[in-house]
Amino acid sequence: MNLEEYFERIGFHDPLYKPDLATLKVIHKKHIMTIPFENLSVHCGEKITMDLQAIFNKIVRSNRGGWCLENNFLFSWVLNKMGYDRTILASRVFNCVIDDFFPMASHLINKVVIDGKAYIADVSFGVSCQLREPIELISGKDQSQATAVFCLSDKEGLWVLEKTGRKPKVLNPDFANSNLLAKKQTTPIYCFYLVPRERDHFLAACHRLQTDPASLFTNKSICSLQTATGFRALIGWTYSEITFKPEEDVDVYDMKNIPDDELEQILREKFNVKLVNKLQPINKKAFYTL
């Protein structure tokens, strides 16, 4: 594994980079616009592991994406090799069905300290909850990005990340009531404590998320990628192109269903993903919104 291969993968070409905030913002944004958030391995008969070499081979050398335990774990290695002061944290994702955070801390994120200020870097949540760049670890401050307005709140040591997005403007009337559309513009995303974690902390979560019949990731095949003007997503057979329109306070959703024989083409052309094994798409009823 080497940084040069990763830099080539995300299109970062600055041999004189410094481990500062400006560089962090650049590589964070390039990562999310090059490497998809996806769980397709679960539906291709492939096992997802927390082995860093396997993750590097998959994402960097095989032009795949991954979920947070892969993307953010790889990003943590990148940050460390680049000279950043980074710490892995574990977060619990919010579930609007139970109106609470999941009990299992399954979402891996990174805290980065630069010039005495702490930031949260998360390159793998996907869709409209994706941070375009790191956000400062400060309580009660609205931090506006292209995706949404994000805000962290310190609740006696438990940090909560919340987002306020825009209303969806759905072009295809067949999807006007799709359960992939968020019903609320303001919602929590995840919560976390500032307790340093290592790889082994996530091993049980990694196994459970890809094997538990109740897991979101066994019930839906997901692939999403940020773009210059919004993001793309393929959930089961539903392909969506979302365009941010902040000047109109809406996001435009162009949604359609894709037949089985066109899924591989969509993955290649829209996400730059070419699968080795055949995808078995799935979109069972489970908590997930774009």
Side-chain angles (χ1 to χ4, degrees), residues 267-282:
L267 287 171
R268 285 196 310 269
E269 294 181 355
K270 301 298 184 180
F271 303 94
N272 194 29
V273 168
K274 185 176 182 180
L275 300 175
V276 174
N277 298 317
K278 185 172 178 58
L279 173 67
Q280 301 294 331
I282 186 171

Side-chain angles (χ1 to χ4, degrees), residues 93-256:
V93 176
F94 187 77
N95 183 337
C96 67
V97 175
I98 63 174
D99 196 31
D100 200 355
F101 298 96
F102 281 108
M104 180 174 63
S106 60
H107 185 62
L108 189 156
I109 57 178
N110 286 286
K111 183 185 76 170
V112 187
V113 178
I114 302 172
D115 296 331
K117 286 188 177 181
Y119 301 85
I120 295 299
D122 183 351
V123 296
S124 196
F125 204 94
V127 294
S128 66
C129 292
Q130 179 60 59
L131 297 179
R132 286 295 179 111
E133 60 185 42
I135 57 172
E136 187 178 354
L137 185 64
I138 184 171
S139 183
K141 178 182 178 182
D142 286 345
Q143 302 187 58
S144 182
Q145 298 190 6
T147 326
V149 176
F150 296 96
C151 184
L152 284 163
S153 300
D154 181 2
K155 301 181 184 296
E156 298 181 343
L158 177 67
W159 287 82
V160 176
L161 175 63
E162 183 179 80
K163 78 147 191 174
T164 299
R166 296 172 287 270
K167 293 180 180 179
K169 180 180 179 181
V170 182
L171 300 182
N172 187 340
D174 291 341
F175 290 88
N177 297 311
S178 170
N179 59 15
L180 291 173
L181 300 174
K183 303 298 187 292
K184 297 180 180 179
Q185 273 65 66
T186 299
T187 181
I189 302 176
Y190 50 72
C191 67
F192 56 92
Y193 290 101
L194 300 180
V195 178
R197 301 295 187 184
E198 299 295 336
R199 183 198 73 136
D200 287 359
H201 178 82
F202 299 94
L203 294 179
C206 185
H207 174 74
R208 181 175 175 181
L209 289 175
Q210 61 189 305
T211 59
D212 187 347
S215 165
L216 163 69
F217 296 112
T218 61
N219 282 281
K220 290 185 184 292
S221 52
I222 299 168
C223 186
S224 74
L225 183 67
Q226 302 295 304
T227 68
T229 57
F231 64 90
R232 300 169 182 151
L234 178 66
I235 315 298
W237 296 264
T238 302
Y239 175 68
S240 305
E241 290 197 359
I242 287 77
T243 303
F244 300 148
K245 294 285 187 179
E247 69 279 3
E248 300 175 22
D249 197 28
V250 299
D251 290 337
V252 178
Y253 283 63
D254 189 0
M255 306 172 70
K256 62 182 178 180

Side-chain angles (χ1 to χ4, degrees), residues 40-71:
L40 302 181
S41 289
V42 178
H43 305 287
C44 291
E46 302 165 357
K47 184 178 180 180
I48 299 174
T49 77
M50 292 289 294
D51 179 79
L52 187 58
Q53 182 68 66
I55 293 172
F56 189 92
N57 290 342
K58 175 184 175 180
I59 292 177
V60 176
R61 293 175 175 162
S62 299
N63 264 43
R64 284 286 302 277
W67 59 16
C68 74
L69 298 178
E70 298 170 288
N71 269 314

